[in-house]
Amino acid sequence: QGHLQSHLHTRRHCSLFDVSHMLQTLVYGRDRIRFMESLVVGDIAELKPGQGTLTLLTNEKGGITDDLIVTNTSEDHLYVVSNAACADKDLAILRDRAAQLQATGSDVHVEVSDNALLALQGSPSMARVLQAGLLDDLAKLSFMNSITTTVFGVPGCRVTRCGYTGEDGVEISVPAARAVELAEQLLGVPDVWLAGLAARDSLRLEAGLCLYGNDIDETVTPAEAGLMWTLGKRRRVAMDFPGAAVIMAQVKDKPRRRPVAMAGTGAGQALLSSLHPHIPGTVTSGCPSPCLGKNIAMGYVEAAHSRAGTELTVEVRKKQHPAVITKMPFVPTQYYMAK
């Protein structure tokens, strides 16, 4: 189906996305927690078995090198999912840091998983569709938690309740040799459509989720990006992650720019592209919202102009269009929390 139809179907039923381009790594060894915390801002040590977290890989200047999901598995290793565009960079960082620690006697090593990665996303159909192929009770699996299980007869799959659409969903790390088989099983259910990355992008924007390379990059710090919630309290006190001094100083002094959500108030469906100079800022992501029927965007403006309700002018193909700062997310999220 086309982009618009796929987007709306994901919100109303569920869709299957092939996200095998993401980098999946496994970190082993008794010092794996210390290794990961030397690179990211999150409190990895506090994660319970099977629990994951979104965290940030930062550099010494406080910039965001990538955003990752790190899961503390029940099988004595960490499972890390990185953005595809950052795969080579991230892997080099992980391997270099592992080598540094190994040279001082630490027990840690990094392996790349060759599994495929399938994302089944959509409320309320996802849970019903997947439960039919599981012996485990999906109702017990909360958002950002994972299990290793058999899915529709395919053993050795890691099912993580997360995704990039704002809907209830899972990502399934599946042995590559059986990925097509599992995909065909899921697509055999009428409610499930195959969807592409264009729909994934518009879905994540409606849900207010950042895209690395657009909304965050090495020139943006967690404080500027509104992502300080990813820093564990213990880590803030210890200041033992890359760029800690820069980031915590920004928290104290307040960042000069802030991330904002913007919605178009004029006619037309042109892409929001740049802010008019009367309020300094930049648009980092933008598209027509299939669910809302208007243009939406994310970007950064000076802190003094970041209040919801502030009217802006955006420049689209050298023409000016009205917009207003609004609250995020644009479309309410449907993440599942087990009772």
Side-chain angles (χ1 to χ4, degrees), residues 12-334:
R12 297 166 182 167
H13 302 283
C14 68
S15 300
L16 183 68
F17 300 81
D18 178 8
V19 290
S20 301
H21 54 296
M22 306 281 278
L23 173 67
Q24 301 174 74
T25 51
L26 311 175
V27 183
Y28 293 91
R30 67 175 179 272
D31 297 312
R32 62 189 181 275
I33 301 292
R34 182 165 66 89
F35 159 79
M36 188 57 61
E37 288 194 349
S38 73
L39 296 172
V40 303
V41 302
D43 192 339
I44 308 304
E46 77 170 358
L47 296 176
K48 299 174 183 177
Q51 185 180 18
T53 186
L54 177 73
T55 190
L56 305 173
L57 194 66
T58 50
N59 61 29
E60 293 301 331
K61 294 181 179 179
I64 301 171
T65 302
D66 196 9
D67 57 322
L68 317 168
I69 292 181
V70 178
T71 299
N72 180 25
T73 74
S74 302
E75 295 86 21
D76 296 326
H77 67 269
L78 300 177
Y79 169 61
V80 184
V81 179
S82 308
N83 284 301
C86 301
D88 292 342
K89 175 177 67 174
D90 289 6
L91 189 56
I93 291 171
L94 292 171
R95 284 176 168 165
D96 287 350
R97 184 60 178 149
Q100 290 171 10
L101 291 179
Q102 289 163 0
T104 61
S106 294
D107 177 26
V108 61
H109 66 277
V110 176
E111 292 183 9
V112 176
S113 171
D114 61 0
N115 277 11
L117 193 62
L118 302 176
L120 186 66
Q121 301 283 305
S123 313
S125 298
M126 183 285 296
R128 176 180 55 79
V129 169
L130 190 62
Q131 186 62 73
L134 290 180
L135 292 178
D136 303 85
D137 184 359
L138 200 57
K140 296 180 179 179
L141 189 68
S142 277
F143 179 60
M144 294 304 291
N145 283 263
S146 80
I147 53 173
T148 300
T149 187
T150 297
V151 183
F152 285 96
V154 180
C157 294
R158 175 165 296 282
V159 177
T160 305
R161 201 151 197 169
C162 68
Y164 198 44
T165 63
E167 296 296 320
D168 182 20
V170 293
E171 290 184 352
I172 307 169
S173 181
V174 51
R178 302 192 69 178
V180 172
E181 173 189 341
L182 178 57
E184 288 177 343
Q185 289 263 24
L186 293 168
L187 292 169
V189 180
D191 259 10
V192 183
W193 288 8
L194 193 62
L197 298 184
R200 194 165 183 254
D201 188 47
S202 54
L203 287 159
R204 69 91 192 169
L205 183 53
E206 285 186 344
L209 302 174
C210 293
L211 174 63
Y212 191 87
N214 281 43
D215 310 300
I216 51 175
D217 57 32
E218 294 191 6
T219 70
V220 180
T221 69
E224 292 171 323
L227 293 172
M228 287 301 294
W229 59 268
T230 63
L231 273 72
K233 292 181 181 178
R234 175 177 61 84
R235 306 302 308 280
R236 294 185 190 213
V237 174
M239 292 181 62
D240 56 354
F241 51 87
V246 175
I247 295 166
M248 297 312 296
Q250 282 189 342
V251 173
K252 182 180 178 181
D253 298 335
K254 305 297 182 185
R256 285 179 290 182
R257 58 176 174 168
R258 290 183 180 173
V260 293
M262 295 166 268
T265 57
Q269 292 294 312
L271 185 72
L272 291 170
S273 59
S274 63
L275 286 175
H276 194 256
H278 83 278
I279 292 183
T282 55
V283 173
T284 52
S285 289
C287 72
S289 165
C291 290
L292 302 179
K294 59 185 176 183
N295 296 327
I296 59 172
M298 294 167 60
Y300 292 89
V301 300
E302 290 185 350
H305 302 291
S306 62
R307 188 181 299 274
T310 300
E311 294 182 350
L312 307 170
T313 302
V314 294
E315 202 167 273
V316 183
R317 301 184 185 93
K318 298 184 178 180
K319 292 184 179 180
Q320 296 174 24
H321 297 265
V324 64
I325 293 178
T326 186
K327 293 183 178 180
M328 206 113 64
F330 297 100
V331 173
T333 55
Q334 303 291 331

